[in-house]
Amino acid sequence: MTEWIISILLLIGGSFVLVGSIGLVKMPDFFMRLHGPTKATTLGMASLLTAAMVFFSTTQAGVSVKEILISLFLLLTAPISGYMMIKAAIHHKLESIERTKGIDNIEDDV
Amino acid sequence: MTLLWIPLLSLLGSIISSTTGKLTRNQSTGLTLLMPVIALLMTISLAPAVFSGEVIRETISWIPLLGINIAFRLDGLALLFVFMILGIGILVIFYARYYLSSNDSMPKLYAYLMLFMTAMLGIVMSNNIIQLWFFWELTSISSFLLISYWWHKPDARKGAIMALTVTGGGGLALLAGLLLLGNIVGSYDLDVILASKEIIQGHAWYEITLILVLLGAFTKSAQFPFHFWLPHAMAAPTPVSAYLHSATMVKAGIFLLARFYPALAGTDIWFILVSLTGLSTLLFGAYVALFKHDLKGLLAYSTISHLGLITLLFGLDTKLAAVAAIFHIINHAIFKASLFMATGIIDHETGTRDMRKLNGMWRFMPYTATLAMVAAAAMAGVPLLNGFLSKEMFFAETLHQQLLGSMSWLIPVLATIAGALAVAYSARFIHDVFFNGDPIDLPKQPSEPPRYMRVPIEILVALCLVVGIFPNFIVDDVLKAASFAVLGGYVPEFEVALWHGFNLPLLMSAIAVIGGLLLYTQRRYLFQFQASLPSLNAKKTFDESIYRITKWCQRKISDSENGSLQRYLMLMFVFVLLFAGWPLFEMNQLGGQKQLTPIDVHNAMGAALLMVGTISTVIWYRARVVSLLMLSVVGLMVSVVFTRFSAPDLALTQLTVEVVTIILLMLALFFLPQHSPKESSSVRVVRDIAISAGLGIVVASICYALITRPLESISAFFLANAKTGGGGTNVVNVILVDFRGFDTLGEICVLGIAALGIYKLLVNLPLVIPASDSEGRPWAKERYPILLASISQSLLPLALMVSFYIFLRGHNLPGGGFIAGLVTAVAFILQYIAHGSSWIVARLTINYRKIIASGIAIALFTGVGSWFFGRPFMTTWFEYFDIPFIGEIELASALVFDVGVYITVVGATLMILASLGQLANEPKEEVNT
């Protein structure tokens, strides 16, 4: 039973990470590319960590909570790194394609 | 323990006298005299045992594993020297009280004198030849300080440097000689060496050893041609000259000859080298002394000449010659010290030492004149005085040798000529200064000196007389004991007496006295002849040769060390290639017996990533940020590799170090151009590629050869003993804080020093902050985004908790002080990035230098703590405790040590970062780290 749960969680996490990575490669401009690694991959990582938590809690004595802490760190830091990268991109006035939305709303270098 | 106390007391005296600056001159002198007087009394109490033939030894084991001990011994020879060093030292200290003017710092002179005394006592009492050498060098250094006592005079400085150069150079030769000697015998123990005459003299290295040891002795005791430093050392205050050139410094060389006489003497090469050097020094010194107008110059060359005489005696092939040498050591010390002191009085009272001005002093200071005349007569070898007795013995011994084969008769003839010259310069000393008309423009009106200034001279002159008239009464015991030690247990029958009947030595003495007086009366012709000779300025020659040597060295250094880091790296790598690569060609087969593990997908991918990262770093080296990013890929991959091959501690360390390094490099890059220009020519690029490729091949081959062979290492011991001996299951951590704790202590010291160095380099460094980035864009207006700031601030407690957790579990699971320190540092670095230095500095007023110091102190005192329980340094203590609600926990002293490591790491890392970060933000503001 636990094996099933772990497997499903791993698969979910794996596919999220994969989608994120494909996005990183395939998206046409920087602003779009950033979506993949910041959102999809972070979610995927959370799922993978849950799998790890289940695995260690069932195979070893006691409940493993380290993974929750790691997830917390990830969920806190991923948005920040995304945010910092976007700020840098705006500062550098990177090219974007027309379909990218919201560029017009950005004030110059705030 | 008495023996050890003798040099220790005088060392203590040096410290005491250096603190007497606020006291009066009398109090300062009294306090300084206290220690040597006690030491002298102790020596006297030991004397009867030594006279009865006993050798007193004392050993404190210091590094027993290397056979290094602090060892002292007192035999007859050492006893004689200890008496002279302490006795004349006490008189000199007393004398200096009246000699020094109120402008001179008395405590300074006394402290140096006592330090010098310690060094001399150490030389004569050492029972270990390396220890002997240590004290030998200490005399060179302390005599340097003494000679340059009047450091504002160029003469004093130059004389001191010359003395240090010559005697220091001789000291190096001596060290080489002593090391060879120790190697031949297999022990640095003096007792063993003195008993191994046959082994030493039968050894192939005997000649070279002898020459090296003699070089040390001859430079120290100013033998020709190394004599030139001694006259220049006369720039020292006269009490110093009286001490250094009568009983101590120059006698150290003589002592060395006497000390190793039982082990090294007895061969032809010894006799030839020692006697010929002594003979030429004897004649040369006596001849030059006659022409010196400076009183101290005359005494200096006379000292050289008398040292030559003693050396010659040690080089003569008879047992009695050695006895005569020892006797003359005593006599020379007595009359020369008193002569120097008398000269000091004359200089003190008249303001000059020039014999062309000093005339007719008899009328002004009859009492001092009488004393000086008696001492000078002793120097000349006039009967009823001590100098006569040893000179008679010397003449007698020159008749009993066959050194030069059929030409051996030359030696007594030359000795008589030297004796005549000695009479001539002694006569000049007496007649020119005290009679010979009236003084010519003296700077001062001469008069008798203060009453007590004469006391030391009176004592010494009385000794000259007593020894001269009743030789057996005073010196017999000590002379016999010293001869016993020098001759290795056999003392020939001899009788020191005033009257031996009419014999050849007496005739030689008579010829010397009459000839000397004749020489002196006819000196005008000699002076004219001497003036026609080309003059040789030792100082100029010395300065020039030193200048040339320094120039040559500078050129050689700038040839090899031109400041180019690329070049240093290149040379280093080429040498690594040569020395590590060469043995590979001598191996038959690179691979060993062990099977390689099969390659799986993960390993292959990791290896590929590593290679890609490495190659990319090199390819994009001119775009520095890109290159740095690629470098971080390499670093991260390495830490992954560590994890894969079960080295979690290493992986954690590597990871945190990597993070800190990359951030620091980023900060540094901020100040550097973003792109390195193309500087290397194509030829250079090819050369560099060749070197690095060669290096890569060599390292890879060595690694391959190593991993395919079974490796025996100490790891098994650590694995077996970590839990039982160190109380922890994390072997890596137990090694760090326990087994190799001493190494760790050294390493955190290095870390602290490195951080201090970086701080010192960066503080007040005038760096220009670029106004824009490399593409001309201005910096962002919002320097510290609020989102980053608030989130990173909230992360701080979490990160600190993690580091605390890693720290606590370190003893049993991957972690420990070092890693935890780095994690903490990373957490703080994030705050610096998010908020900027000024924000942090305003909130965190911590002095990182104190943090580093306290970290090292904690680690050190944990180690010292084990001493209080009677254990060796850094013994770990651990115990298990049962605490309610928490359960059984282990407390170990290693944990406290680890706290020290942790604090040091945090302090050092943050100090480096803060120094760099401060530059980036507010370069003009005072850096508060």
Side-chain angles (χ1 to χ4, degrees):
Chain A
M1 181 59 194
T2 38
E3 206 166 308
W4 275 99
I5 296 172
I6 293 169
S7 305
I8 290 166
L9 281 171
L10 279 179
L11 277 174
I12 295 172
S15 48
F16 266 99
V17 173
L18 183 66
V19 168
S21 307
I22 293 170
L24 179 64
V25 180
K26 282 286 176 187
M27 288 296 180
D29 70 1
F30 177 83
F31 299 96
M32 286 194 194
R33 271 203 294 277
L34 204 54
H35 287 289
T38 47
K39 293 176 188 165
T41 308
T42 312
L43 270 177
M45 284 306 294
S47 177
L48 291 178
L49 283 164
T50 317
M53 193 172 86
V54 174
F55 175 76
F56 284 114
S57 300
T58 47
T59 51
Q60 290 175 2
V63 182
S64 176
V65 289
K66 266 179 275 182
E67 288 78 7
I68 297 179
L69 202 62
I70 299 174
S71 306
L72 192 65
F73 271 116
L74 266 177
L75 291 175
L76 272 174
T77 51
I80 297 297
S81 37
Y83 167 75
M84 291 305 289
M85 277 188 267
I86 284 290
K87 268 188 79 73
I90 291 168
H91 182 70
H92 278 230
K93 297 195 172 64
L94 287 187
E95 296 285 314
S96 60
I97 60 161
E98 270 179 43
R99 277 187 297 145
T100 308
K101 286 175 189 167
I103 297 283
D104 306 335
N105 299 340
I106 299 166
E107 291 170 37
D108 192 42
D109 192 12
V110 280
Chain B
M1 286 307 283
T2 336
L3 221 49
L4 182 66
W5 272 107
I6 295 172
L8 217 55
L9 275 174
S10 99
L11 185 65
L12 204 65
S14 173
I15 297 164
I16 290 175
S17 50
S18 66
T19 59
T20 57
K22 292 227 166 65
L23 305 178
T24 65
R25 288 159 77 91
N26 281 339
Q27 286 167 333
S28 178
T29 312
L31 271 175
T32 308
L33 281 174
L34 193 64
M35 292 299 152
V37 168
I38 297 174
L40 186 63
L41 292 177
M42 286 169 97
T43 316
I44 291 172
S45 76
L46 292 173
V50 177
F51 288 152
S52 67
E54 197 183 324
V55 178
I56 304 168
R57 293 185 180 82
E58 244 162 48
T59 306
I60 300 167
S61 80
W62 181 20
I63 311 176
L65 226 56
L66 293 175
I68 296 177
N69 299 321
I70 299 174
F72 289 99
R73 88 204 279 271
L74 191 72
D75 59 4
L77 183 67
L79 183 75
L80 165 66
F81 270 90
V82 171
F83 273 144
M84 289 201 313
I85 293 162
L86 288 173
I88 296 187
I90 289 167
L91 296 179
V92 163
I93 288 167
F94 188 80
Y95 174 82
R97 144 87 190 78
Y98 297 96
Y99 179 84
L100 285 188
S101 77
S102 48
N103 298 331
D104 299 323
S105 163
M106 200 128 103
K108 196 170 106 177
L109 183 79
Y110 281 164
Y112 291 166
L113 265 177
M114 295 298 291
L115 183 68
F116 182 79
M117 188 186 277
T118 314
M120 279 306 299
L121 289 171
I123 291 182
V124 300
M125 289 169 62
S126 285
N127 199 14
N128 176 300
I129 55 174
I130 300 297
Q131 183 192 332
L132 185 153
W133 181 79
F134 166 78
F135 284 114
W136 181 275
E137 291 295 274
L138 196 58
T139 60
S140 292
I141 294 166
S142 49
S143 68
F144 171 82
L145 292 171
L146 282 170
I147 296 169
S148 63
Y149 174 74
W150 283 322
W151 49 269
H152 49 275
K153 295 186 181 170
D155 273 2
R157 294 200 299 269
K158 281 194 178 146
I161 289 173
M162 202 187 268
L164 184 67
T165 313
V166 177
T167 56
L172 283 181
L174 177 66
L175 176 64
L178 292 180
L179 288 176
L180 283 177
L181 201 57
N183 249 311
I184 294 172
V185 179
S187 165
Y188 292 111
D189 203 40
L190 195 61
D191 286 325
V192 181
I193 288 170
L194 293 185
S196 328
K197 182 176 177 171
E198 283 76 26
I199 302 174
I200 296 167
Q201 301 193 351
H203 202 277
W205 295 346
Y206 168 69
E207 281 83 9
I208 185 77
T209 309
L210 177 69
I211 289 169
L212 287 167
V213 172
L214 286 183
L215 262 178
F218 288 168
T219 47
K220 199 77 160 185
S221 57
Q223 294 297 301
F224 184 82
F226 308 109
H227 63 280
F228 57 90
W229 67 265
L230 198 146
H232 290 287
M234 289 298 142
T238 304
V240 172
S241 308
Y243 197 37
L244 259 56
H245 306 311
S246 66
T248 53
M249 172 87 165
V250 292
K251 290 282 169 65
I254 301 290
F255 171 79
L256 202 70
L257 290 181
R259 180 83 290 170
F260 288 109
Y261 193 85
L264 293 177
T267 56
D268 286 345
I269 177 169
W270 164 282
F271 290 129
I272 294 291
L273 278 177
V274 176
S275 66
L276 291 188
T277 309
L279 185 64
S280 46
T281 311
L282 167 67
L283 280 166
F284 175 81
Y287 178 73
V288 176
L290 190 54
F291 300 103
K292 289 288 150 186
H293 298 303
D294 180 8
L295 269 178
K296 276 178 86 175
L298 186 151
L299 290 182
Y301 277 98
S302 120
T303 304
I304 293 174
S305 161
H306 280 276
L307 292 168
L309 190 155
I310 299 169
T311 308
L312 171 59
L313 276 170
F314 275 118
L316 292 179
D317 191 8
T318 61
K319 301 277 181 205
L320 259 176
V323 179
I326 295 162
F327 191 31
H328 200 67
I329 290 173
I330 306 171
N331 293 332
H332 176 250
I334 295 172
F335 65 68
K336 197 47 73 66
S338 59
L339 277 172
F340 268 114
M341 289 180 188
T343 307
I345 289 181
I346 294 167
D347 187 12
H348 197 254
E349 295 304 318
T350 63
T352 182
R353 298 192 312 245
D354 192 332
M355 274 187 278
R356 285 165 298 189
K357 293 180 179 173
L358 287 166
N359 294 316
M361 283 300 123
W362 171 261
R363 266 178 291 139
F364 301 101
M365 41 175 93
Y367 195 74
T368 312
T370 315
L371 291 173
M373 274 150 51
V374 174
M379 175 162 78
V382 170
L384 294 186
L385 295 167
N386 59 350
F388 171 73
L389 296 176
S390 45
K391 199 157 262 185
E392 281 266 292
M393 284 175 85
F394 164 60
F395 286 147
E397 289 320 305
T398 56
L399 295 169
H400 297 144
Q401 43 76 35
Q402 268 84 41
L403 268 179
L404 303 178
S406 64
M407 297 302 278
S408 297
W409 60 271
L410 258 177
I411 292 182
V413 171
L414 290 173
T416 316
I417 293 174
L421 284 166
V423 172
Y425 66 66
S426 305
R428 182 163 183 231
F429 183 95
I430 295 170
H431 187 251
D432 271 18
V433 176
F434 298 112
F435 306 103
N436 202 21
D438 291 317
I440 304 159
D441 347 302
L442 290 183
K444 268 167 141 181
Q445 177 62 30
S447 64
E448 282 285 353
R451 173 71 193 89
Y452 291 106
M453 195 170 180
R454 285 197 309 259
V455 169
I457 311 181
E458 285 163 1
I459 294 173
L460 290 168
V461 168
L463 272 175
C464 283
L465 279 164
V466 175
V467 174
I469 300 169
F470 311 105
N472 294 327
F473 180 60
I474 294 203
V475 288
D476 198 45
D477 278 340
V478 72
L479 185 58
K480 284 225 166 72
S483 309
F484 185 79
V486 170
L487 295 172
Y490 163 78
V491 185
E493 279 299 311
F494 68 91
E495 193 196 354
V496 184
L498 202 51
W499 182 250
H500 286 286
F502 290 104
N503 55 10
L504 211 47
L506 189 67
L507 180 67
M508 287 163 78
S509 278
I511 294 172
V513 170
I514 295 164
L517 289 175
L518 264 174
L519 262 177
Y520 177 67
T521 50
Q522 303 305 313
R523 66 187 182 283
R524 205 168 344 116
Y525 306 106
L526 256 179
F527 273 66
Q528 275 166 9
F529 170 70
Q530 177 64 17
S532 67
L533 289 177
S535 69
L536 190 71
N537 188 337
K539 192 179 272 177
K540 198 158 158 258
T541 319
F542 177 79
D543 281 351
E544 273 170 10
S545 50
I546 291 289
Y547 178 78
R548 265 201 302 280
I549 292 171
T550 324
K551 270 275 159 228
W552 186 82
C553 291
Q554 267 170 357
R555 214 170 40 241
K556 290 292 152 203
I557 288 171
S558 58
D559 282 354
S560 57
E561 244 186 86
N562 61 353
S564 156
L565 295 178
Q566 287 91 335
R567 185 190 161 123
Y568 298 163
L569 275 181
M570 190 270 284
L571 285 173
M572 197 169 85
F573 287 149
V574 166
F575 275 101
V576 170
L577 256 183
L578 283 178
F579 288 107
W582 187 250
L584 285 177
F585 287 101
E586 291 170 3
M587 273 170 71
N588 294 327
Q589 191 192 355
L590 192 61
Q593 311 302 317
K594 271 170 94 174
Q595 288 298 310
L596 293 176
T597 44
I599 301 173
D600 57 15
V601 183
H602 309 101
N603 291 353
M605 271 181 65
L609 266 172
L610 253 180
M611 283 186 241
V612 168
T614 316
I615 293 168
S616 312
T617 310
V618 178
I619 290 177
W620 279 297
Y621 82 95
R622 283 170 56 207
R624 289 176 167 161
V625 178
V626 180
S627 187
L628 185 61
L629 284 178
M630 290 303 145
L631 194 63
S632 71
V633 170
V634 176
L636 289 178
M637 276 318 294
V638 169
S639 68
V640 171
V641 168
F642 283 142
T643 323
R644 168 99 183 137
F645 294 104
S646 35
D649 277 282
L650 281 179
L652 268 174
T653 314
Q654 170 71 23
L655 193 67
T656 41
V657 166
E658 194 60 30
V659 171
V660 175
T661 317
I662 295 292
I663 292 172
L664 288 180
L665 279 175
M666 287 281 227
L667 261 175
L669 273 189
F670 177 69
F671 294 100
L672 298 170
Q674 301 296 303
H675 298 275
S676 356
K678 193 172 161 60
E679 282 167 333
S680 305
S681 65
S682 306
V683 178
R684 241 182 109 148
V685 171
V686 171
R687 182 198 74 182
D688 292 348
I689 289 177
I691 293 174
S692 47
L695 208 63
I697 291 168
V698 166
V699 171
S701 309
I702 292 175
C703 286
Y704 183 77
L706 258 179
I707 56 175
T708 50
R709 285 176 166 76
L711 191 70
E712 281 292 320
S713 80
I714 194 174
S715 320
F717 168 83
F718 289 142
L719 287 171
N721 288 290
K723 180 71 179 165
T724 49
T729 49
N730 179 7
V731 182
V732 177
N733 186 261
V734 174
I735 291 174
L736 281 178
V737 299
D738 189 344
F739 292 139
R740 309 297 303 262
F742 206 46
D743 286 4
T744 310
L745 187 62
E747 274 155 27
I748 60 173
C749 287
V750 170
L751 188 67
I753 292 166
L756 281 177
I758 291 174
Y759 166 73
K760 201 66 204 157
L761 279 175
L762 292 182
V763 72
N764 296 332
L765 180 74
L767 265 189
V768 182
I769 293 189
S772 60
D773 67 7
S774 59
E775 282 151 55
R777 270 187 299 266
W779 303 115
K781 283 181 203 129
E782 193 191 12
R783 296 179 74 178
Y784 308 111
I786 185 81
L787 211 52
L788 176 66
S790 47
I791 294 292
S792 60
Q793 211 173 328
S794 58
L795 273 178
L796 182 64
L798 272 177
L800 289 181
M801 188 187 77
V802 170
S803 82
F804 189 60
Y805 169 70
I806 288 178
F807 173 77
L808 275 187
R809 74 172 199 170
H811 213 43
N812 291 313
L813 287 165
F818 193 77
I819 299 167
L822 283 169
V823 171
T824 309
V826 172
F828 276 104
I829 288 172
L830 185 61
Q831 307 307 311
Y832 271 96
I833 293 173
H835 295 284
S837 290
S838 49
W839 190 88
I840 303 282
V841 168
R843 279 157 187 78
L844 202 68
T845 48
I846 292 179
N847 184 330
Y848 291 124
R849 281 163 288 168
K850 285 184 184 156
I851 299 263
I852 296 174
S854 55
I856 294 175
I858 290 173
L860 188 66
F861 286 120
T862 320
V864 172
S866 35
W867 280 345
F868 296 107
F869 299 97
R871 296 297 188 79
F873 186 62
M874 296 199 68
T875 311
T876 308
W877 162 91
F878 61 94
E879 196 59 71
Y880 296 89
F881 292 95
D882 208 9
I883 294 176
F885 304 114
I886 297 177
E888 192 191 59
I889 63 158
E890 179 202 359
L891 286 179
S893 66
L895 199 68
V896 185
F897 181 79
D898 226 10
V899 170
V901 175
Y902 170 82
I903 292 175
T904 316
V905 170
V906 172
T909 318
L910 286 184
M911 183 146 99
I912 298 171
L913 179 98
S915 312
L916 267 171
Q918 197 74 26
L919 284 176
N921 289 303
E922 286 90 16
K924 295 207 170 56
E925 220 175 83
E926 184 72 16
V927 181
N928 183 21
T929 46

